[in-house]
Amino acid sequence: MIIIGEKINGTRKAVAQAIRERDETFIRDLARNQTDAGSAFLDVNAGTAPEREPEDMAWLVGTIQEECGIPLCLDSANPSALRAGLEIVKNPPMINSVSGEKPRIEKVLPLALEYGTNLILLALDETGIPNTSDGRMKIVDRLVRLAMDGGLKEEKLYIDPLVTAISTGTDSALITLDTIRRISSTYPKCHITSGLSNISFGMPLRHMINRTFMAMAIQAGLDSAIADPGDRQLYEVIMAAEMLMGRDKYCQGFSRAYRAGRIG
Amino acid sequence: MIIIGEKINGTRKAVAQAIRERDETFIRDLARNQTDAGSAFLDVNAGTAPEREPEDMAWLVGTIQEECGIPLCLDSANPSALRAGLEIVKNPPMINSVSGEKPRIEKVLPLALEYGTNLILLALDETGIPNTSDGRMKIVDRLVRLAMDGGLKEEKLYIDPLVTAISTGTDSALITLDTIRRISSTYPKCHITSGLSNISFGMPLRHMINRTFMAMAIQAGLDSAIADPGDRQLYEVIMAAEMLMGRDKYCQGFSRAYRAGRIG
């Protein structure tokens, strides 16, 4: 499971304050903790006003890179902010994200192609998130074709099937799971990623619902998640689900994580 | 989810003692608690020596029926014990179980046909549990045909795909999940049931592994489980998984269970 650590996000109050005050210690701690907890990438979202965002993104990238060498996932809709990050990023980065929306395709996709980054593709367009897997696959097909025609290999694409709340649609999870299965069989070399927690919006017992959905999404073919790797119970379910899917020979990974005190 | 409450089982020490001492209160409490916790059937297994078993089974059935009207699942390989239970059982019962083993087919299956019971079919035979879904389906196909030729409707059949430990085979869960999917598509009117806890035998964090596997099995098509309905965390995952599979319109069942304090 390729975990994209989600916590360095300027829409979170404490992170916004740290960015404003240039609090390096706070950001470095967030980076270190998420790396130690098993992230493969760290999402970096400055979340600030467009005119400040390039400078804030560059500061975040620089600060995180002083702390650890983990690859970064530059998260913005603002091409200038993305470019500011791309120019100084050391390890092969990811961009979050290109959707079927025109500005993303015209302004963000070219950056991903120019720098040959990993790239998250979202199954939505100007009309929103389709409420059928057919509708989502139509967008995915178009985006994968555009990215590959531009020279990105399938292995660099992280397709997000998108998740809507079960409280607003009885079939919400089924649509996502079906989209995951279809991506998995149509593009076996692409990765499939998502932030799953939207599923439980408006419901009680959100974390439990999220964990249950994570197990089901992994079974359907999800191999990456935008998540908090420090959520110990979620991490346990990810380890268990991957083991049950036959990806942990002799249960060695699970047992090692248990002995090391990472789970349990 | 059709839960078959597993706790009235004479192989458990406290239950064995209650049977020996004819402790009606103990058995009635077990029956009441499992019924209140959401069982659809109660498994009844005397677990005693063959010569005592018919009398013990009859006492158990009589005692439980004084407490509550829930249907019973008579659990024995001993035709005399099964008949002793069948003769006094009030609600349409279930028999646990017929496998591909000759004595079960020759001695237990006829009882199920004679009384027109619900019937659990196990995907194993004299050679053990096949370690491919092909092998398990071959046995299932034969048993379903025998049961239906004998007059049982598909709706009365509860097929158990069987679960072996992940610690003894990296593909254990995959084989079970694949068997569930195949049963579900081949026999859409049959139920699919199993005791899932074998999956975690020999591993740490057994309950968490069991819950994760439950979510995946429900996604594959499991609609019944031999389980402890009083395991609150397991019950939560069952409720969540069924909701995510689109079987809980407007999340009403989940929300009601939460408000009633059954989950959370």
Side-chain angles (χ1 to χ4, degrees):
Chain A
M1 173 67 43
I2 301 167
I3 296 177
I4 302 167
E6 71 186 1
K7 302 201 68 150
I8 303 179
N9 191 314
T11 63
R12 298 174 60 216
K13 212 169 151 189
V15 176
Q17 184 179 345
I19 293 172
R20 229 171 18 245
E21 299 173 358
R22 292 293 186 256
D23 182 347
E24 291 193 6
T25 310
F26 185 92
I27 297 297
R28 287 169 76 142
D29 282 353
L30 267 186
R32 168 59 52 202
N33 293 340
Q34 290 187 97
T35 302
D36 291 349
S39 299
F41 290 86
L42 296 187
D43 195 75
V44 184
N45 183 327
T48 42
E51 64 279 9
R52 288 199 48 80
E53 200 184 351
E55 189 185 329
D56 289 338
M57 175 68 90
W59 176 76
L60 281 170
V61 169
T63 302
I64 297 165
Q65 287 185 152
E66 278 169 36
E67 179 65 28
C68 46
I70 187 171
L72 303 181
C73 174
L74 307 176
D75 181 1
S76 174
N78 178 347
S80 308
L82 288 171
R83 190 177 284 281
L86 288 167
E87 279 173 0
I88 58 169
V89 82
K90 288 178 183 156
N91 279 306
M94 187 181 296
I95 286 180
N96 185 4
S97 57
V98 167
S99 67
E101 296 160 296
K102 210 171 165 207
R104 299 284 184 116
I105 291 176
E106 293 183 349
K107 307 281 188 189
V108 176
L109 179 60
L111 279 174
L113 301 179
E114 176 184 346
Y115 285 85
T117 70
N118 296 285
L119 179 61
I120 297 180
L121 301 175
L122 306 184
L124 66 81
D125 63 14
E126 276 85 3
T127 65
I129 303 175
N131 64 1
T132 63
S133 65
D134 277 350
R136 295 190 197 181
M137 285 306 293
K138 202 176 271 183
I139 298 171
V140 166
D141 289 339
R142 177 172 173 230
L143 293 176
V144 170
R145 205 168 46 244
L146 283 171
M148 291 184 64
D149 286 352
L152 289 184
K153 294 212 169 118
E154 280 183 76
E155 292 85 340
K156 293 209 151 190
L157 303 179
Y158 287 68
I159 305 173
D160 186 338
L162 295 177
V163 174
T164 57
I166 190 79
S167 59
T168 62
T170 303
D171 289 341
S172 290
L174 286 176
I175 296 166
T176 298
L177 293 170
D178 193 44
T179 307
I180 292 174
R181 272 186 293 265
R182 291 175 67 175
I183 296 168
S184 178
S185 73
T186 311
Y187 305 108
K189 288 182 183 169
C190 288
H191 299 283
I192 308 175
T193 197
S194 200
L196 298 183
S197 57
N198 279 353
I199 194 70
S200 60
F201 183 80
M203 295 294 296
L205 308 181
R206 290 196 65 174
H207 287 284
M208 186 277 295
I209 295 171
N210 295 348
R211 289 194 297 274
T212 305
F213 190 45
M214 176 66 83
M216 298 166 97
I218 289 173
Q219 181 177 7
L222 193 87
D223 73 338
S224 171
I226 304 162
D228 173 10
D231 179 337
R232 202 174 169 92
Q233 288 182 289
L234 181 68
Y235 195 75
E236 285 174 358
V237 166
I238 290 171
M239 295 284 304
E242 297 235 286
M243 177 175 74
L244 295 171
M245 288 304 288
R247 295 186 202 133
D248 183 7
K249 211 164 185 186
Y250 309 121
C251 310
Q252 284 180 332
F254 190 92
S255 301
R256 211 162 27 228
Y258 179 73
R259 284 195 305 271
R262 294 275 304 280
I263 56 176
Chain B
M1 171 68 45
I2 301 167
I3 296 177
I4 302 167
E6 70 186 2
K7 303 201 68 150
I8 303 180
N9 190 313
T11 63
R12 296 174 60 216
K13 213 170 151 189
V15 175
Q17 184 179 342
I19 294 172
R20 230 174 15 247
E21 298 173 359
R22 292 294 187 254
D23 182 347
E24 291 192 5
T25 310
F26 184 92
I27 298 297
R28 287 168 76 143
D29 282 354
L30 267 186
R32 168 60 51 202
N33 292 340
Q34 290 187 98
T35 302
D36 291 349
S39 299
F41 289 87
L42 296 187
D43 196 76
V44 185
N45 182 326
T48 44
E51 64 279 9
R52 288 199 47 79
E53 199 184 351
E55 190 186 326
D56 289 339
M57 176 66 90
W59 176 76
L60 281 170
V61 169
T63 303
I64 297 164
Q65 288 185 154
E66 279 169 37
E67 180 64 29
C68 46
I70 187 170
L72 303 181
C73 175
L74 307 176
D75 180 2
S76 174
N78 180 347
S80 309
L82 288 171
R83 189 177 285 280
L86 288 167
E87 279 172 1
I88 57 169
V89 83
K90 287 177 185 157
N91 280 306
M94 187 181 297
I95 286 180
N96 182 4
S97 55
V98 168
S99 67
E101 297 161 296
K102 212 173 164 204
R104 299 283 185 115
I105 290 175
E106 292 183 349
K107 307 283 187 186
V108 177
L109 179 60
L111 279 173
L113 301 180
E114 177 184 345
Y115 286 85
T117 69
N118 297 284
L119 179 61
I120 296 179
L121 301 175
L122 306 183
L124 66 83
D125 63 14
E126 276 85 2
T127 64
I129 303 176
N131 64 2
T132 62
S133 65
D134 279 348
R136 295 189 197 181
M137 285 307 292
K138 203 177 270 183
I139 298 170
V140 165
D141 289 338
R142 180 174 170 227
L143 293 175
V144 170
R145 205 168 47 244
L146 284 170
M148 291 184 64
D149 287 350
L152 289 184
K153 294 210 169 121
E154 281 184 76
E155 292 84 341
K156 293 209 152 193
L157 303 179
Y158 287 69
I159 305 173
D160 186 338
L162 294 175
V163 175
T164 58
I166 190 79
S167 59
T168 63
T170 303
D171 289 342
S172 290
L174 287 176
I175 296 166
T176 299
L177 294 170
D178 193 43
T179 307
I180 292 173
R181 272 186 292 265
R182 291 176 66 175
I183 296 168
S184 177
S185 74
T186 312
Y187 306 107
K189 289 182 182 169
C190 288
H191 299 283
I192 307 176
T193 197
S194 199
L196 298 183
S197 58
N198 278 353
I199 195 68
S200 60
F201 183 80
M203 294 295 295
L205 308 181
R206 289 196 64 176
H207 288 283
M208 186 277 295
I209 296 172
N210 295 347
R211 288 194 297 273
T212 304
F213 190 44
M214 176 65 84
M216 297 166 98
I218 289 172
Q219 181 179 8
L222 193 86
D223 73 338
S224 170
I226 304 162
D228 173 9
D231 179 337
R232 202 175 169 91
Q233 288 183 288
L234 182 67
Y235 195 75
E236 284 174 0
V237 166
I238 291 172
M239 296 284 305
E242 297 234 286
M243 177 176 74
L244 295 171
M245 288 304 289
R247 295 186 202 130
D248 183 8
K249 211 163 186 186
Y250 309 121
C251 310
Q252 284 179 332
F254 189 92
S255 301
R256 210 161 30 227
Y258 179 73
R259 283 195 304 270
R262 294 275 306 281
I263 57 175

